[in-house]
Amino acid sequence: MNRLNRVCLVKNSNVKQSNNLGWVSSNWSGYAVSGRKNAFRKISANWTVPFVRPSSNNSYSSAWIGIDGFGNSSLIQTGTGHDFVNGKAHYYAWWEILPQTMTLIPKPVHPGDHMKAVISKLKGSTWLISLRNTSRNWVFRTIKRYRGPQASAEWIVEAPQVGASISKLARISKVYFTGCRLNGKNPMLTPENRGTMLQNNNVTSIPGKPSAAGDAFAVTNLIGRASGPVRKPMRS
């Protein structure tokens, strides 16, 4: 399998929408919250590992939670990968702290599995990364050093970087994020926090509106559907 990298989303490169679509990215789709430095010390969520449908070429996807990366070059994260490579679907778990590449978690992951992830600051620059697969009854935990600004937090479906380029997003089923928490509290997500993935001027992945409680949402893959191109509005 090719070596993958998660890629930060530089906020000033986004295209701001005026129709409640929030921000636009070529590699991220989901919800992101920004704040001042040291604003975020813990993030968590649950999600279901999606199914990967066959594609004519190699394609890749990840579902993850993280702190930083939205508007800065730091990022601590953990999640699952769901790729279609050389005619076969691949499912796996991982964690990553930029600028290093991802580290695979040597535990089984299958489509439909229920994941629970937590990233939490313990003290100073010491952080806990925890990923649990409740369907397979395993838990992975690691304690690492991280010195990022703690100025953003995310719940994301991504088309990761493969080699030097952003990959084509895999044809995955809908990803449901539930029980989203930020600093141990409901993040009260709003439509302006959500981001749409745009590849080759076509919408490839889009999150739905947040739940009434503001702590859950679904990300829908639109590859192969008649979504049509999106015209980028002018910057204000």
Side-chain angles (χ1 to χ4, degrees):
M1 185 180 299
N2 292 333
R3 194 67 168 172
L4 306 183
N5 276 333
R6 312 307 121 174
V7 183
C8 290
L9 189 75
V10 180
K11 197 186 303 182
N12 60 18
S13 71
N14 298 339
V15 179
K16 294 294 183 181
Q17 304 285 326
S18 59
N19 55 356
N20 285 333
L21 280 179
W23 44 272
V24 174
S25 167
S26 63
N27 60 314
W28 285 15
S29 178
Y31 278 72
V33 177
S34 296
R36 66 186 186 281
K37 186 177 180 181
N38 297 321
F40 307 119
R41 63 184 183 277
K42 183 177 182 180
I43 187 171
S44 60
N46 311 319
W47 69 88
T48 302
V49 177
F51 289 79
V52 177
R53 300 180 178 92
S55 57
S56 56
N57 298 308
N58 292 348
S59 56
Y60 304 82
S61 69
S62 294
W64 55 265
I65 64 168
I67 287 180
D68 289 326
F70 188 76
N72 61 67
S73 59
S74 301
L75 185 56
I76 181 172
Q77 53 188 164
T78 188
T80 54
H82 349 92
D83 308 331
F84 193 81
V85 178
N86 297 328
K88 185 178 180 181
H90 299 267
Y91 302 90
Y92 52 95
W94 56 271
W95 64 270
E96 185 173 15
I97 298 176
L98 293 185
Q100 302 301 315
T101 56
M102 74 168 187
T103 298
L104 288 172
I105 296 172
K107 301 287 186 180
V109 175
H110 296 272
D113 285 359
H114 297 286
M115 311 300 298
K116 293 179 177 292
V118 180
I119 297 173
S120 179
K121 184 176 183 177
L122 300 179
K123 184 178 181 180
S125 60
T126 303
W127 290 70
L128 169 69
I129 300 172
S130 174
L131 187 64
R132 178 189 299 267
N133 186 327
T134 61
S135 300
R136 305 290 159 184
N137 196 30
W138 61 255
V139 180
F140 171 84
R141 296 187 181 92
T142 186
I143 295 176
K144 297 294 178 180
R145 296 285 183 181
Y146 177 69
R147 296 180 175 86
Q150 302 170 228
S152 71
E154 304 89 23
W155 304 262
I156 297 294
V157 168
E158 181 182 10
Q161 181 175 312
V162 180
S165 303
I166 300 299
S167 68
K168 178 182 178 182
L169 182 67
R171 298 178 62 235
I172 55 175
S173 58
K174 189 174 291 188
V175 180
Y176 294 91
F177 286 89
T178 62
C180 298
R181 294 292 182 269
L182 190 55
N183 293 342
K185 299 179 181 179
N186 186 332
M188 302 299 293
L189 299 171
T190 66
E192 68 179 11
N193 299 137
R194 65 178 174 167
T196 298
M197 190 186 302
L198 192 70
Q199 294 189 324
N200 297 321
N201 204 38
N202 284 282
V203 174
T204 54
S205 180
I206 187 168
K209 293 181 179 180
S211 63
D215 65 349
F217 62 93
V219 180
T220 300
N221 185 298
L222 296 178
I223 295 176
R225 303 183 186 184
S227 60
V230 169
R231 182 170 57 86
K232 297 181 180 181
M234 295 180 62
R235 296 179 185 271
S236 56

